[in-house]
Each structure stands twice: as C-alpha cells, then as structure tokens.
Amino acid sequence: AHAMTAEVLEAPAVAAEWGAVWLELALCERDPALAQRALATFSDGHNANGFYFSRSVMEGWAARARGDNAAAGKAFTAARVEVEQAVRDQPDYGPPLCMLGLVDAGLGRKEEAMREGRRAVELCPVTKDALTGSETMVFLSVIYAWSGEKALAVEQVAATLQVPSLLTYGRLRLHPFWDPLRGDPEFERIVASLAPKDR
C-alpha cells in the first residue's frame, strides 16, 4: 500500500482519488502525520459505497484516533451541521442518518446516536441494498462501540459478518474504529476466528 501510494502521489491530479485509501492506511498504522497528509488531498469529501464522508467527518476520525478529543469535538461539531442538512434533504435514506449517528457518537450524544444508527439500518436493509446496507450495519457497530455499548457493538459485528460485507479481519484487527472493543473476550474471539489460517 505504501509503494502504491508513493507512485500515485507522483501524479497529483489523481492523488485525491487515493486520499481515502491513504487515510485508511494512516489510521490503521496510527500515523497522525500521514493522516494529515492524506486529509490534505481532499478539497471536500468523498463518496464510497453509498455514503458521503465530508472532510469534517474524516478530520474527526483522525483526531479521535490520535486521542485529540478537543479537535475531534470541533470537527464533529462542524460535521454535524453538514450531516443534519443531508438528513433533511434525504429523510428516508439511511446513509446520511447513519453518518449523523456516527457524528453524535463522536460527540458523546449516546442515545441520539444509537437511535439514528438503528433507524438508518431500518431504512437501508441489506435486502434492499446489499453493499450500502452492509456498510450501514458496519457503522452501527462503530456507533455502539463509541457509545460504550460493547455488548451491542460485538453483537452487531457478529451480525454484519453473517452477510456479504466489507468488514474484514484487517479492518477489525487494525482500524481504530473498534479500539473501544479491544480486550473484550467475545470481540477478540471473533477477530481471531477471521485470521488467515495456515494451510
């Protein structure tokens, strides 16, 4: 991933298209300087799997990952204004409501966050949209984790793994989204069960 990113950065015109990959790499490696360089490739946000991730949302992720609660709060507060407007514009579409839940979880608004995340899953079930629906399930697990509801988060991870999704061993093992679950025996059991097996 580092080698590929280095090649892409030689062509700044396409660097922004790789910003999300670069940010994921930075977050998983717990590299705040790399995360800031990745964020600099975005003039705004980006779309992926039915979701729009604003720059403010991503800045909140990066600040939270490096333990800067003040910066995370500032970024998520700015993001909340943007995401609330998206929810007003698309009241029956799950992803904006799910993003609002994630932002609210980042702001410590636990009850609102969980209500929004659950409603988002109802609005966008996997039976209606396999890719976006499964990503909504993934983010609901993050909302639970950030809200301190470990049992619900682990249960949601397990449920998400029962459907085709982008939730993988690598994401669960490395991504800071699930840091609140580290050390939980059931979460660790699930992660271990997904580890590559020797043949």
Side-chain angles (χ1 to χ4, degrees):
H2 279 293
M4 188 166 28
T5 302
E7 278 188 38
V8 169
L9 293 177
E10 305 255 337
V14 297
E17 295 177 28
W18 284 84
V21 174
W22 205 14
L23 181 60
E24 286 280 307
L25 179 63
L27 292 175
C28 288
E29 291 195 335
R30 316 306 168 110
D31 186 335
L34 185 61
Q36 289 307 118
R37 289 175 62 201
L39 284 167
T41 67
F42 293 99
S43 58
D44 189 15
H46 82 102
N47 292 288
N49 308 319
F51 283 80
Y52 175 72
F53 305 99
S54 72
R55 183 178 171 130
S56 295
V57 165
M58 293 183 289
E59 286 173 347
W61 294 350
R64 184 183 169 93
R66 69 176 180 268
D68 188 339
N69 294 329
K74 183 178 178 182
F76 285 138
T77 297
R80 195 171 198 283
V81 175
E82 303 163 351
V83 179
E84 275 188 311
Q85 183 59 53
V87 171
R88 282 193 293 272
D89 292 343
Q90 302 177 86
D92 298 319
Y93 188 47
L97 189 59
C98 191
M99 278 297 97
L100 183 59
L102 190 67
V103 166
D104 277 341
L107 290 170
R109 300 165 58 110
K110 175 179 175 176
E111 297 305 322
E112 296 97 323
M114 293 194 303
R115 183 174 60 249
E116 290 152 356
R118 289 172 179 148
R119 179 62 180 147
V121 169
E122 290 173 5
L123 288 171
C124 191
V126 291
T127 53
K128 182 176 171 184
D129 185 326
L131 182 56
T132 305
S134 65
E135 279 294 271
T136 306
M137 292 175 71
V138 168
F139 283 115
L140 178 56
S141 72
V142 178
I143 289 168
Y144 284 143
W146 287 10
S147 298
E149 293 290 343
K150 290 186 180 183
L152 290 174
V154 172
E155 183 180 305
Q156 186 62 36
V157 166
T160 305
L161 291 170
Q162 297 303 307
V163 300
S165 74
L166 299 176
L167 189 59
T168 63
Y169 171 71
R171 280 180 87 180
L172 290 171
R173 176 75 177 81
L174 300 173
H175 205 291
F177 278 170
W178 288 278
D179 281 357
L181 304 181
R182 309 265 174 236
D184 179 271
E186 183 59 16
F187 178 74
E188 298 296 349
R189 185 197 66 74
I190 289 171
V191 174
S193 75
L194 299 172
K197 307 292 189 289
D198 291 333
R199 294 185 181 235

